[in-house]
Amino acid sequence: MAEKKGLLKRLAEGQVWTSIFRGGGVPKSRRQRMMVVLNSVFLHLHPVRLPKHAVKLKFTWCMGGLSFFLFLILTISGILLMFYYRPTIEYAYTDIIDLAEQVPFGIMREIHRWGAHAMVITVWLHMFRVFMTGSYKPPREFNWAIGVILLLLTLLLSFTGYLLPWDQLAIWAITVGSNMARATPFIGSEGPGAALLAIGDINFVTMSSDIRFALLGGRFLGEATLLRFYVLHCIGLPFIIMIFMAVHFWRIRKDGGISTPV
Amino acid sequence: MSELNEEKQSVTVPPASPPPAALGKTDDGSQVTRRTFFSWLSIGWIAFVAATGGFFTMMLRFFFPNVLFEPVQTFRAGFPEDYQVGEVDLRWKSKYGTWIVRNGEGIYALSTTCTHLGCTPNWLTAEQKFKCPCHGSGFRKTGINFEGPAPRPLERYRIVLSDDGQIIVDKTKKYQQEKGQWGDPEAFLKV
Ligand code: HEM
Ligand code: FES
């Protein structure tokens, strides 16, 4: 009676496969298909099923998905760049030249740079479409707030990465950018309210103790800044943004999937 | 914690009929008494919260180094005779971020930091002005701003003579024109 099973079928019903993917074999019923999603630590962040309109390009522009895709590309290409790039004043600039001219497939650097520009654009466009479709309305207002944090983190990643080539553009862009931090209320040395935080003649928020100082690791842009930005760019910010992305995706599912066009 | 306690008390003082919930009175068991407050568990929690708070404070302070590996802020700039009257001297520009300018009456040390957002302007001899490449601020030879977004004049550094007659420029002390500080005797070296 036992007809011979194909190799694929035997694999799909074997112990190795079923121990990894519970539920046994190729999902056939709707319930089984849902279980596949629910049983995967990665897939379960995603809604278990998608309404037809949700995959229409016209509605989402796929901008959130593209942002995430670009983030993955940036993570992979970025980790690869770390194998060649040294964040010191002596080597940073020349290591970038080395990547451009000597390293096999040093185009990885271009991929990372263009990808970074693209991600900033797609995140803005994603926000724009969420706004235009009114998808920020309850029950999705919390996910909008998470989104604002994601936007901020994306811009901070872009800002910290900008310094790393240590060329003229980098140094002056970060000089200008970090000087704006002086004007932060209360915690920037030239910001409103900073002068209030003083006892007699002693100012507590000065050029050597304000928020800009903590950002630069000194009073001026220098080696300490390069190292600080490098650590933030390669570890600190990606770590934080991944946590918020997980919450973002999970909330889409919990808010009832992607909103419905009116 | 409260569960243990409840058991203990219910042995000695059996509770009368519980008060109606509407009165909002908590029953004895869940009340924080002196004993329960100082239980090991509370102490443990308080210690944990304090340690965590302490660690976050450490983390914050960690970002503010005490010793900076930055270029020195005070330098010797040679003798007054080394500088020509009417010229903007560029020799300390890249190393110490300072222009030394001599006029008919004396010498002053100008900061090369643009007062807009911190780029380094260029001295244009033909036009007799400092011009910032970033957003186009312009400053006169005196340091007074006259075009572009810079909101105030360039700063001047403390400039004095040492015992051997050399000029000492001290960048830790700044003089701002808009605060009327350029009149300070150490903001201008009379020669
Ligand atoms: C790192 C940046 C971000 C990533 C990777 C991301 C990813 C996504 C993805 C994949 C979706 C599914 C729908 C779609 O693709 O359009 C989505 C939905 C959503 N996003 Fe984002 N997002 C980011 C930033 C933002 C920002 C800046 C905002 C707004 C301030 C935002 C607010 C929302 C909201 C409210 C939804 C639900 C939309 C709906 O139900 O129609 N997100 N996000
Ligand atoms: S920094 Fe000089 S004009 Fe903006």
Side-chain angles (χ1 to χ4, degrees):
Chain A
M1 59 163 220
E3 55 184 287
K4 202 160 179 300
K5 286 178 180 168
L7 178 67
L8 276 182
K9 194 144 194 190
R10 268 185 294 147
L11 263 183
E13 284 166 15
Q15 190 182 359
V16 175
W17 186 267
T18 52
S19 68
I20 301 174
F21 305 101
R22 298 229 169 111
V26 182
K28 284 181 208 91
S29 65
R30 197 171 190 181
R31 190 188 131 78
Q32 273 175 330
R33 278 198 290 272
M34 273 167 67
M35 289 316 283
V36 170
V37 171
L38 289 178
N39 279 329
S40 157
V41 69
F42 301 109
L43 291 182
H44 91 285
L45 287 175
H46 196 270
V48 279
R49 43 182 290 277
L50 290 174
K52 225 181 201 159
H53 69 82
V55 286
K56 268 205 189 128
L57 204 58
K58 209 177 108 194
F59 185 61
T60 66
W61 299 345
C62 199
M63 278 304 150
L66 274 178
S67 304
F68 183 57
F69 175 69
L70 284 165
F71 178 76
L72 292 181
I73 292 198
L74 288 166
T75 308
I76 294 167
S77 58
I79 290 173
L80 290 173
L81 293 181
M82 289 172 79
F83 283 96
Y84 283 97
Y85 172 86
R86 289 165 286 182
T88 63
I89 290 184
E90 196 180 351
Y91 294 124
Y93 179 70
T94 48
D95 281 352
I96 297 282
I97 307 261
D98 181 46
L99 274 162
E101 295 184 353
Q102 307 298 339
V103 176
F105 291 110
I107 196 176
M108 210 54 76
R109 190 232 160 179
E110 260 62 48
I111 293 178
H112 194 75
R113 182 133 188 151
W114 285 87
H117 289 315
M119 179 168 167
V120 171
I121 295 171
T122 56
V123 169
W124 278 115
L125 286 180
H126 169 57
M127 184 175 175
F128 181 61
R129 99 80 188 150
V130 169
F131 182 75
M132 292 313 276
T133 55
S135 306
Y136 54 84
K137 291 176 190 166
R140 295 182 175 80
E141 69 271 47
F142 181 71
N143 222 12
W144 173 270
I146 296 283
V148 172
I149 294 172
L150 284 174
L151 173 69
L152 190 78
L153 287 167
T154 307
L155 297 181
L156 283 175
L157 274 164
S158 173
F159 183 63
T160 49
Y162 205 11
L163 180 66
L164 303 184
W166 203 250
D167 52 12
Q168 288 292 321
L169 188 62
I171 292 171
W172 295 111
I174 306 304
T175 299
V176 166
S178 60
N179 271 337
M180 292 182 197
R182 287 181 203 262
T184 316
F186 293 105
I187 50 174
S189 60
E190 287 168 21
L196 298 175
L197 302 174
I199 298 181
D201 271 353
I202 304 163
N203 268 317
F204 287 107
V205 185
T206 66
M207 203 188 167
S208 314
S209 66
D210 69 346
I211 185 70
R212 175 175 170 276
F213 182 83
L215 186 68
L216 297 187
R219 290 166 297 178
F220 312 103
L221 197 79
E223 180 118 38
T225 317
L226 183 56
L227 186 58
R228 231 160 241 227
F229 274 44
Y230 176 73
V231 174
L232 283 175
H233 185 76
C234 299
I235 299 178
L237 293 168
F239 181 72
I240 299 172
I241 203 172
M242 278 198 274
I243 294 175
F244 278 96
M245 278 187 187
V247 176
H248 195 62
F249 301 157
W250 169 254
R251 271 309 285 238
I252 297 173
R253 175 177 159 194
K254 287 288 145 180
D255 291 339
I258 293 201
S259 55
T260 311
V262 273
Chain B
M1 165 178 70
S2 61
E3 249 175 51
L4 261 177
N5 227 26
E6 232 161 37
E7 227 172 63
K8 225 184 191 170
Q9 292 194 353
S10 66
V11 177
T12 45
V13 198
S17 60
L23 285 183
K25 262 180 133 186
T26 48
D27 69 301
D28 284 3
S30 65
Q31 222 166 38
V32 181
T33 66
R34 207 172 38 182
R35 267 166 220 243
T36 52
F37 181 75
F38 287 109
S39 77
W40 286 112
L41 200 59
S42 322
I43 293 176
W45 269 109
I46 290 166
F48 177 71
V49 170
T52 311
F55 187 75
F56 276 104
T57 315
M58 278 165 64
M59 233 161 83
L60 196 70
R61 183 60 181 84
F62 184 81
F63 281 100
F64 294 83
N66 295 327
V67 177
L68 303 176
F69 301 92
E70 291 176 346
V72 285
Q73 296 295 300
T74 306
F75 65 98
R76 282 164 179 271
F79 297 95
E81 305 86 78
D82 299 345
Y83 299 93
Q84 310 250 310
V85 173
E87 273 200 2
V88 172
D89 192 280
L90 305 180
R91 78 185 82 167
W92 308 112
K93 181 183 166 189
S94 54
K95 193 157 181 210
Y96 294 113
T98 306
W99 288 299
I100 305 237
V101 189
R102 181 165 180 177
N103 62 20
E105 290 144 52
I107 300 177
Y108 51 89
L110 272 182
S111 154
T112 61
T113 306
C114 176
T115 51
H116 177 225
L117 284 168
C119 292
T120 305
N122 296 305
W123 171 246
L124 308 179
T125 322
E127 292 165 56
Q128 289 288 301
K129 70 177 182 185
F130 298 101
K131 186 73 177 166
C132 186
C134 286
H135 318 94
S137 290
F139 305 86
R140 304 254 180 247
K141 198 194 271 179
T142 51
I144 304 281
N145 55 311
F146 69 94
E147 63 180 354
R152 58 195 178 87
L154 296 173
E155 289 166 358
R156 290 187 185 183
Y157 294 131
R158 180 168 170 259
I159 184 165
V160 288
L161 279 187
S162 70
D163 295 340
D164 61 359
Q166 282 206 53
I167 299 172
I168 292 182
V169 177
D170 172 8
K171 292 171 59 183
T172 57
K173 197 113 182 53
K174 294 185 296 194
Y175 301 94
Q176 291 170 238
Q177 190 266 354
E178 73 279 11
K179 291 186 182 167
Q181 293 167 334
W182 280 5
D184 193 290
E186 303 204 318
F188 186 72
L189 185 66
K190 291 215 168 63
V191 214

